[in-house]
Amino acid sequence: MKMGFVWALILLALPANAAAQAYQCRLPAARNVPEVRQDAPSRMMPVTGYTMALSWSPGFCRGKETQRNHAAQCSGRNGRFGLVVHGFWPDGGRSWPQYCPAPARLTPTEARKNMCMIPSARLMARQWVKHGSCMTKRPETYFEVTRILWNSYRIPDYDRLSRKDGLTAGDIRKAFADANGGWEPAHIGVRLTASGWLRELRLCYSKRFRPTRCDDRRYGADDNAPAKIWRGL
């Protein structure tokens, strides 16, 4: 898909009041990009839509603060992260494309541009090889599209929301929808851990990059499911 066409589709889909993120991040270095080995079959099929998966970093980092593999995100040396991009994925109806031919590798220079959005060079490389390769031929294009969408979101104050009595998955959905014009709760998947802590939001897009209703696979927890948000304190 040509980059100019992708930009046109995305810009049509963005709300007029889009704003850059307001998290704390001192851009960490990406000195090298690990090689990613394919660990599942290749699957090439028409793309029917997209999913933006946003991970709740305080919950992910709980217990990982001193682990070397997660130092960029969890040590605190590079700032404090809230929601970060887990991945931007193509969908294919009942299944999804993955591990398409990827002639280009992610470079440290490109990885560094995205470290405040995806604070792990290893995760970035995996997202490109497994998912981005089925959307475009160059990692630069894949991450450019991801950044455009990422910078269009207004992130709610989930720290404040975490203090609400009787918090539910529906409250988490509604907070994101209320903060972002064009989004409705039905467009937002919420994944909780087995003990009810927020793990991830999944934002569902149509093939033309417009918010769309999530199917059951992506919708996750029911609106009335009790939820908790770990603040990382």
Side-chain angles (χ1 to χ4, degrees):
M1 187 179 291
K2 292 183 179 180
M3 190 60 200
F5 180 60
V6 171
W7 268 349
L9 288 177
I10 292 173
L11 292 173
L12 283 172
L14 293 184
N17 62 349
Q21 302 307 301
Y23 50 76
Q24 300 171 11
C25 174
R26 294 181 292 276
L27 197 67
R31 296 182 179 86
N32 57 70
V33 176
E35 185 176 354
V36 174
R37 295 184 181 277
Q38 184 170 334
D39 58 3
S42 295
R43 198 158 48 220
M44 287 164 275
M45 60 184 66
V47 173
T48 60
Y50 303 92
T51 302
M52 179 70 81
L54 304 179
S55 172
W56 180 243
S57 186
F60 172 81
C61 287
R62 189 177 184 180
K64 299 184 179 74
E65 292 84 356
T66 61
Q67 293 182 12
R68 183 177 179 181
N69 286 348
H70 301 294
Q73 180 174 352
C74 300
S75 68
R77 293 194 296 269
N78 298 309
R80 181 173 179 267
F81 297 91
L83 283 173
V84 295
V85 172
H86 174 182
F88 182 48
W89 307 329
D91 295 311
R94 294 188 176 184
S95 189
W96 55 90
Q98 65 180 21
Y99 291 117
C100 299
R105 289 191 60 181
L106 177 66
T107 65
T109 299
E110 178 62 26
R112 189 174 189 276
K113 295 178 186 178
N114 305 304
M115 287 293 286
C116 284
M117 176 178 74
I118 306 177
S120 166
R122 182 179 299 276
L123 176 59
M124 233 182 285
R126 179 175 174 81
Q127 294 304 307
W128 158 242
V129 171
K130 184 174 182 180
H131 301 290
S133 61
C134 296
M135 298 162 61
T136 182
K137 295 184 181 300
R138 299 172 64 246
E140 293 83 1
T141 305
Y142 172 66
F143 288 107
E144 180 94 24
V145 172
T146 306
R147 283 196 305 270
I148 290 170
L149 294 174
W150 167 244
N151 283 314
S152 77
Y153 306 139
R154 292 184 181 273
I155 304 301
D157 187 349
Y158 281 128
D159 185 278
R160 180 177 181 180
L161 185 66
S162 71
R163 305 170 196 273
K164 180 181 185 296
D165 291 336
L167 181 68
T168 65
D171 294 326
I172 295 172
R173 281 191 179 92
K174 186 176 184 301
F176 190 91
D178 287 349
N180 291 273
W183 287 90
E184 299 176 7
H187 303 153
I188 303 160
V190 175
R191 288 177 57 84
L192 305 175
T193 67
S195 52
W197 292 99
L198 174 62
R199 173 183 291 173
E200 192 166 270
L201 299 186
R202 293 195 173 176
L203 309 181
C204 300
Y205 286 93
S206 70
K207 189 176 180 179
R208 296 186 65 81
F209 294 96
R210 296 188 182 278
T212 192
R213 180 179 292 273
C214 295
D215 55 24
D216 291 343
R217 176 170 56 89
R218 293 179 290 170
Y219 192 73
D222 292 337
D223 281 347
N224 59 359
K228 297 174 286 186
I229 301 175
W230 180 254
R231 294 190 292 273
L233 301 176

